[in-house]
Amino acid sequence: MIRVVVADDQALLRGSFRVLVDSEPDLSVVGEAATGVEAVSVAMEHRPDVVLMDVRMPEMDGIEATRRIKDVTRVLVVTMFDLDAYVYDALRAGASGFLLKDTPPADLLAAIRVVAAGEALLAPTVTRRLIEQFTRTPAVPQVKGLDGVTEREREVLMLIARGLSNREIADHLQVTLATVKTHITRLLAKLEARDRAQLVIAAYESGLVSAAG
């Protein structure tokens, strides 16, 4: 059973998410929160597998809440706008991905399962536009350098940053899916990244990929 907490300041939306999630045999909502402070408290109490986190909430925004619970649970940011200025910061704070609030129900449920399984969820087209928006004013790099990364691993990292799936990377490089997964595992270790979302951030902050590239 995948345990979920729903954090959103809109009661109607929280209720809709609860009904949707609880309708699945392998998913269960174990708590709700209407503010960022409540989100942290509920996450610490229930230790869910995934928190559906709104960005704009009273008392504490979803970014700070994500930062405080990133070591306790995985966070899937759900935002109204695909270029919301806070989403990039949320990924830097430790979120495992983001979705738009108008995402089809089936895709939302699939996203919860993906994040719960330890993967990151980054919609390629939205990710590209998001990164373009924020690499115009790059933050101070907070990732390890790429000195220990091989040339092939750099290729894989670049493709990840551009939103390609493992299968698309395998096809592009003409290697097996298992080989791609091995490269990704090594990248996670070498860059001390927790998941695919952090690899995307690493690729841009290290300068390996630019918004114009």
Side-chain angles (χ1 to χ4, degrees), residues 50 52 76 99 103 106-116 119 121:
V50 178
L52 292 180
L76 179 58
L99 287 177
T103 296
D107 290 348
L108 174 61
L109 295 172
I112 292 172
R113 294 183 179 102
V114 167
V115 170
E119 297 295 327
L121 189 96

Side-chain angles (χ1 to χ4, degrees), residues 3 27 51 55 69 85 88 92 105 112 130 137 176 197 205 210:
R3 303 165 70 251
L27 305 177
V51 174
V55 175
I69 65 175
Y88 182 73
R92 288 177 52 112
I112 292 172
L130 183 73
T137 54
T176 66
E205 291 193 337
S210 68

Side-chain angles (χ1 to χ4, degrees), residues 30-187:
V30 296
E32 296 183 18
T35 70
V37 171
E38 287 182 5
V40 173
S41 177
V42 173
M44 291 297 187
E45 177 184 356
H46 294 285
R47 306 275 170 148
D49 299 295
V50 178
V51 174
L52 292 180
M53 182 76 76
D54 187 19
V55 175
R56 301 176 181 179
M57 291 186 291
E59 296 183 13
M60 178 191 297
D61 63 30
I63 300 168
E64 181 58 29
T66 295
R67 186 174 294 111
R68 295 192 185 192
I69 65 175
K70 66 180 180 180
D71 295 327
V72 173
T73 181
R74 292 187 172 272
V75 176
L76 179 58
V77 173
V78 185
T79 179
M80 186 68 71
F81 307 104
D82 59 355
L83 284 181
D84 192 325
Y86 298 110
V87 175
Y88 182 73
D89 290 336
L91 290 176
R92 288 177 52 112
S96 292
F98 67 91
L99 287 177
L100 303 184
K101 287 187 176 178
D102 61 358
T103 296
D107 290 348
L108 174 61
L109 295 172
I112 292 172
R113 294 183 179 102
V114 167
V115 170
E119 297 295 327
L121 189 96
L122 295 169
T125 55
V126 177
T127 300
R128 177 65 177 179
R129 293 166 59 193
L130 183 73
I131 296 297
E132 286 175 350
Q133 175 78 12
F134 296 101
T135 49
R136 293 172 187 164
T137 54
V140 176
Q142 297 184 8
V143 298
K144 295 182 57 119
L146 302 181
D147 292 345
V149 177
T150 68
E151 192 60 37
R152 178 44 64 94
E153 288 166 353
R154 286 172 183 251
E155 289 182 79
V156 172
L157 183 58
M158 289 176 65
L159 296 174
I160 289 173
R162 289 170 180 160
L164 273 66
S165 68
N166 286 1
R167 172 53 65 188
E168 290 169 334
I169 293 172
D171 292 342
H172 181 84
L173 298 178
Q174 296 186 326
V175 298
T176 66
L177 188 58
T179 297
V180 172
K181 291 180 178 179
T182 297
H183 286 313
I184 293 175
T185 297
R186 290 173 179 167
L187 282 168

